[in-house]
Amino acid sequence: MKNTIKTIAFVVAAVLFMNTSSFASGAKEKAVEKAVSVVENGAPDDWMLLAEQADYLIKKNAGIANAKGWIQASLSIKEAPYNLEVMGDYYSKCNLNKQAMEYYIKSMDAMKVENANVNTSHIQDKIAALR
């Protein structure tokens, strides 16, 4: 009887685990599909759209290869505080802290060019989290 209960408990746990894993990967796949669709329907020189979709995928931890390509394309069109920060987020997600810090600093510098009194504390927090 105890072995039967243990077996049933194990089977239920396994089924729940598989369903949770399938849901998580399904959600990631949908996020990638959505982002790809947005990029494909956007203008090829829309640096902000590319950066936003890269940011979306990085936050969803999905389609990281797509995110890198889009953020690189965005930066090749125009370097702006936002896409520099997103590139920092990409490197941070990949545990490349030195590169992440470089892009976060570039982002803060670009922000300060636009407004010398700008609040950069959110990026400073990201830098502090790298250490």
Side-chain angles (χ1 to χ4, degrees), residues 42-105:
D45 62 343
D46 188 345
W47 68 269
M48 181 61 100
L49 179 101
L50 292 166
E52 288 171 341
Q53 295 311 303
D55 189 26
Y56 172 75
L57 290 181
I58 292 165
K59 288 178 179 165
K60 292 287 187 180
N61 198 26
I64 300 299
N66 286 347
K68 183 178 185 189
W70 293 339
I71 196 61
Q72 286 175 323
S74 175
L75 287 166
S76 71
I77 296 166
K78 177 182 179 179
E79 284 194 9
Y82 177 64
N83 58 5
L84 290 165
E85 181 180 353
V86 173
M87 183 59 103
D89 292 344
Y90 165 79
Y91 282 124
S92 177
K93 179 69 76 177
C94 295
N95 294 317
L96 298 168
N97 295 348
K98 182 180 177 186
Q99 292 91 332
M101 190 176 303
E102 289 173 11
Y103 275 92
Y104 288 147
I105 291 169

Side-chain angles (χ1 to χ4, degrees), residues 18-65:
M18 289 186 325
N19 285 340
T20 304
S21 297
S22 296
F23 176 75
S25 69
K28 287 182 180 184
E29 289 172 5
K30 286 183 181 182
V32 173
E33 288 173 12
K34 178 182 174 185
V36 167
S37 175
V38 170
V39 169
E40 287 176 349
N41 291 312
D45 62 343
D46 188 345
W47 68 269
M48 181 61 100
L49 179 101
L50 292 166
E52 288 171 341
Q53 295 311 303
D55 189 26
Y56 172 75
L57 290 181
I58 292 165
K59 288 178 179 165
K60 292 287 187 180
N61 198 26
I64 300 299

